[in-house]
Amino acid sequence: MTPATPADADPRVRRTRAAVLDAVATLIATEGLASVSHQRAADESGVGRATIYRHWPTVSDLLFDALDEYDSPLLRPRDEPLILWLRTELRCAGDQSSGNARNEDC
């Protein structure tokens, strides 16, 4: 992730970062991780590609910061093993889609 700098206090920098990270989150949600590039982030956010490279030198940096901002149940810390959580979530989704929400965890 990009370290915080005094420039982050500048409202223009915050607006730029927010616009780019929102655009990248939308790309991830609609087209997947592989769709993210500096050029696509620039096109979707309206921010210059050179500015995006200045803030995020690599696509990995861009993805890490975007995913850090993204609230996803899969990325949240949990007390139980991932496989148990995932089984419960899938069971609940199946129950809810069939109108049979019998599981108290749902």
Side-chain angles (χ1 to χ4, degrees), residues 53-104:
Y53 272 106
R54 191 175 314 116
H55 289 278
W56 299 278
T58 68
V59 173
S60 295
D61 294 329
L62 188 53
L63 288 171
F64 285 133
D65 277 0
L67 290 173
D68 190 45
E69 298 284 321
Y70 184 69
D71 182 33
S72 170
L74 190 58
L75 301 175
R76 291 182 197 141
R78 64 190 45 77
D79 295 328
E80 63 185 329
L82 177 63
I83 190 70
L84 295 177
W85 173 84
L86 189 55
R87 283 182 185 149
T88 301
E89 290 299 312
L90 290 172
R91 188 174 299 114
C92 288
D95 289 348
Q96 290 171 354
S97 69
S98 68
N100 183 19
R102 65 177 190 266
N103 190 338
E104 62 197 38

Side-chain angles (χ1 to χ4, degrees), residues 5-83:
T5 64
D8 290 343
D10 184 338
R12 294 170 299 174
V13 172
R14 287 195 309 267
R15 280 192 305 270
T16 297
R17 290 179 57 82
V20 172
L21 294 177
D22 286 346
V24 170
T26 300
L27 282 171
I28 292 169
T30 58
E31 300 179 34
L33 291 170
S35 69
V36 177
S37 68
H38 288 87
Q39 184 63 55
R40 289 294 305 276
D43 293 343
E44 298 297 320
S45 68
V47 173
R49 191 170 48 143
T51 301
I52 294 173
Y53 272 106
R54 191 175 314 116
H55 289 278
W56 299 278
T58 68
V59 173
S60 295
D61 294 329
L62 188 53
L63 288 171
F64 285 133
D65 277 0
L67 290 173
D68 190 45
E69 298 284 321
Y70 184 69
D71 182 33
S72 170
L74 190 58
L75 301 175
R76 291 182 197 141
R78 64 190 45 77
D79 295 328
E80 63 185 329
L82 177 63
I83 190 70

